[in-house]
Amino acid sequence: MALLPILHYPDERLHRVAAPVGDINDRIRQLVRDMAETMYAAPGIGLAATQVDVHEQVIVIDLSETRDRLQVFINPVILERRGEAEFEEGCLSVPGIYETVTRANWIRAEAFDAQGQRFTLEADGLLAVCIQHEMDHLQGRVFVEYLSRLKQSRIVAKLKKNQRRAL
Ligand code: K1U
Ligand code: ZN
């Protein structure tokens, strides 16, 4: 297994649109294992392939406290959305920034697992938020892009300052 480097906003590669996975084969299963290791190490509760500079539709999520309930979504599609909820979100590609975003509070989604089995799932609360946040990554969208231009430029300035401090 390998820890993969995570791209940081405003890296242009975070804006690439991910292609559907054609064949769920050993290469994709290795990518899933590496993404899971990277997410657990960060630590985070989700990760999209876009964030590790792989532009294919693969997401991993684990909301469990025991960190042993990995959920894999390959070629995910949202079939239905209901309601609205505000949630404070974070992002491994925007370290140290937490902002409130409004999203659907209930979704029905379809995806393939790492064995190539299609499944559907209904989600609410944090799981619904996390799936939507990760699916946005696959579309090249980062959560801070829901905020005002002023907030976005303040966030970019803060991230650059933090990067300079870390050198
Ligand atoms: O996409 C990502 O960068 C992962 C992101 C997922 C997410 C969090 C909150 C709302 C929506 C989506 C994160 O995991 S940020 C880190 C985080 O939330 C966390 C880290 C450790 C323990 C608990 C939460
Ligand atoms: Zn994110």
Side-chain angles (χ1 to χ4, degrees):
M1 288 208 281
L3 278 183
L4 306 171
I6 296 175
L7 299 177
H8 283 177
Y9 184 79
D11 193 310
E12 270 308 309
R13 292 170 288 180
L14 286 169
H15 294 129
R16 289 196 195 157
V17 177
V21 173
D23 185 17
I24 300 175
N25 54 23
D26 287 345
R27 180 183 67 83
I28 294 296
R29 280 185 279 276
Q30 185 59 51
L31 172 64
V32 166
R33 283 193 289 273
D34 290 346
M35 286 175 59
E37 189 184 4
T38 304
M39 173 188 72
Y40 287 128
I45 55 173
L47 191 70
T50 307
Q51 293 175 276
V52 292
D53 202 19
V54 176
H55 302 280
E56 294 178 85
Q57 293 178 12
V58 179
I59 288 169
V60 293
I61 292 176
D62 190 341
L63 300 185
S64 71
E65 284 189 11
T66 42
R67 312 294 275 155
D68 59 356
R69 302 221 170 156
L70 185 70
Q71 292 177 279
V72 178
F73 299 82
I74 299 171
N75 297 346
V77 180
I78 295 182
L79 303 170
E80 204 179 335
R81 304 167 196 262
R82 290 189 199 153
E84 272 192 357
E86 286 190 341
F87 225 94
E88 188 169 86
E89 300 190 13
C91 182
L92 299 174
S93 294
V94 195
I97 305 292
Y98 293 86
E99 292 285 349
T100 301
V101 175
T102 304
R103 299 190 187 269
N105 69 359
W106 179 94
I107 60 166
R108 190 161 62 87
E110 180 183 88
F112 292 87
D113 66 19
Q115 274 62 53
Q117 293 291 313
R118 189 201 297 261
F119 64 94
T120 60
L121 151 148
E122 293 178 10
D124 60 8
L126 182 56
L127 181 57
V129 169
C130 198
I131 293 170
Q132 292 172 83
H133 175 114
E134 304 307 339
M135 286 184 69
D136 269 356
H137 277 303
L138 299 181
Q139 292 302 312
R141 206 175 303 123
V142 181
F143 84 112
V144 294
E145 289 158 3
Y146 288 105
L147 309 174
S148 69
R149 290 260 170 219
L150 178 64
K151 269 198 169 177
Q152 287 180 49
S153 48
R154 282 185 179 156
I155 287 168
V156 170
K158 189 172 172 186
L159 292 172
K160 285 189 175 154
K161 193 171 158 193
N162 291 346
Q163 272 169 12
R164 278 198 302 274
R165 276 193 184 154
L167 289 177

